Every structure is written in structure tokens, then in C-alpha cells.
Amino acid sequence: DWKYGHDPYRTPPGVDYRNALENPEANWGDAEAVRFALFGDWGRPSHEQALVARGLRTLQSRLKSQQRSLDGVLLAGDNFYPNGVTSLDDEKWERLWGVPFRPVGVPFLVAIGNHDYKVDPRRAQYQVAKTGRPGYELWRCRDDNGPGQPGIYTTEWFETDKLSVQVVLIDTNVLVYAPTRDIESWSRQLHWLWERLEDD
């Protein structure tokens, strides 16, 4: 924990991600399961980021050999360090997501972190606008709140013959991160969340 002197950008002492990422377990339930990978704070070039990307590609390959597949990847925010992306053409798009993660071949559902807003809260909207563009059909940063409103949140369903899973991504930055803090937006988001869970 950084409070006790640990650098938050390095793997904590005693934690071994390497073995899990280099030798991913491929027996992930039966063919009807819905499978997701989840990670955040990934948006900088590093050895760890390369391991995660390679591990996901290896896992997907092994699952496919068993007639299974990852259904999606959930990105928990801080997608582009240190200050988000500056445009739809920022070189970070290809360097940090396109080249390492596009080959996984499944939808990436994107939540927004404080580093995606950082110096200019409007920067996070580039991640929304990139959704579905050529080469970024698997990048899904949708905004049910609408452009220009504080808070970026959405929901999406994944289904098999036997199972339906609703994924809900919310934006807690409007509650805690000073440049985007907006208690009215948080209230609207909670109302939206309640309606989604109640209706579905």
C-alpha cells in the first residue's frame, strides 16, 4: 500500500502475477459460462502491461482450443496515464491498447478513472468518441449519461443459451475526484443504476 511506502506503480512485494499471466488456467467452466477478465490502472507501457496482454492472448487461445472463449474484458479505469488522451489520434491509442490488446479479439468494456480525466475533464470524452471507429470496434466506452454531462456510465448484456449477465459500469470520479466532483451527477447516476437493476 502506498501509505506504507510502497510504489503504487510496481507489483507489491510477495505478489507473483508472472506465473498466472505466463501460464493462464484455461479450464474456465463449461461451454455455457460467461467469462470476463478484469483489470485497471493499465495505461502505461511497462513489463507488467506486456505480461497482461500476452497472458490474455494465451488464455483466449487455450479457451478456443476447448471450444470456449472469453466474452469480454472489463477495464476498471486509468486507461491512459498520466493525463488521458489528447485527441482521437493520440499515439497512445495504438501503443497502449491497439497493438497489445486488440488481438485478444473480444469486446473491452471501459470504465473511466481519474487519470483519464486529469488535467482536462473533457479528455475522457475522447474514449467515448473512439468507440466503434475503424480498428476500435472492440473498444466500448459508452455513455448513457450523454456527452457534456459529468459522469460516464453504461450497461451491457452478455448472454448464452442458459445464462444472462448484465455488466454495469459506473463513474465514481464524480463523487471523489475534485475536477469532476458533482453530487447532482452522482445522484442521477444512482437513480439510473437503480432503474437499470429494477427493470432488468
Side-chain angles (χ1 to χ4, degrees):
D1 189 312
W2 66 270
K3 294 178 186 174
Y4 305 104
H6 175 65
D7 180 346
Y9 304 119
R10 298 190 184 279
T11 302
V15 175
D16 181 14
Y17 297 123
R18 182 182 312 272
N19 184 53
L21 293 168
E22 291 180 345
N23 303 291
E25 175 57 54
N27 186 18
W28 279 24
D30 65 28
E32 296 300 326
V34 178
R35 300 171 190 84
F36 296 98
L38 165 68
F39 56 92
D41 296 294
W42 61 275
R44 67 174 73 241
S46 67
H47 177 67
E48 290 77 13
Q49 189 222 37
L51 276 176
V52 170
R54 188 167 67 242
L56 282 175
R57 294 191 304 264
T58 301
L59 175 61
Q60 181 70 323
S61 175
R62 291 181 183 179
L63 285 170
K64 285 185 173 183
S65 74
Q66 300 177 4
Q67 286 74 53
R68 292 162 171 77
S69 177
L70 277 173
D71 291 281
V73 176
L74 310 178
L75 298 180
D78 287 350
N79 307 313
F80 298 100
Y81 278 97
N83 301 314
V85 285
T86 58
S87 71
L88 292 174
D89 300 316
D90 193 311
E91 55 88 23
K92 291 178 186 177
W93 285 109
E94 277 301 295
R95 183 166 52 97
L96 297 178
W97 185 81
V99 171
F101 290 109
R102 186 186 291 118
V104 178
V106 298
F108 280 65
L109 279 62
V110 182
I112 298 294
N114 67 307
H115 281 274
D116 300 310
Y117 286 112
K118 210 57 176 174
V119 297
D120 182 352
R122 294 173 296 184
R123 287 191 177 187
Q125 286 295 331
Y126 289 125
Q127 294 186 45
V128 175
K130 195 73 169 181
T131 298
R133 289 180 179 253
Y136 286 81
E137 293 84 358
L138 297 175
W139 177 269
R140 295 187 187 169
C141 185
R142 298 196 171 122
D143 186 5
D144 289 357
N145 191 24
Q149 298 296 319
I152 294 172
Y153 46 87
T154 193
T155 184
E156 187 160 341
W157 282 93
F158 288 81
E159 298 187 12
T160 69
D161 290 341
K162 298 180 182 177
L163 185 64
S164 294
V165 175
Q166 182 181 21
V167 175
V168 178
L169 302 173
I170 62 171
D171 188 346
T172 57
N173 291 288
V174 297
L175 184 62
V176 297
Y177 182 54
T180 60
R181 190 163 38 225
D182 184 319
I183 196 65
E184 288 183 19
S185 175
W186 180 243
S187 296
R188 286 194 306 272
Q189 189 172 173
L190 290 178
H191 181 72
W192 170 89
L193 177 60
W194 180 260
E195 286 185 334
R196 299 291 80 70
L197 297 178
E198 191 175 52
D199 291 346
D200 300 322

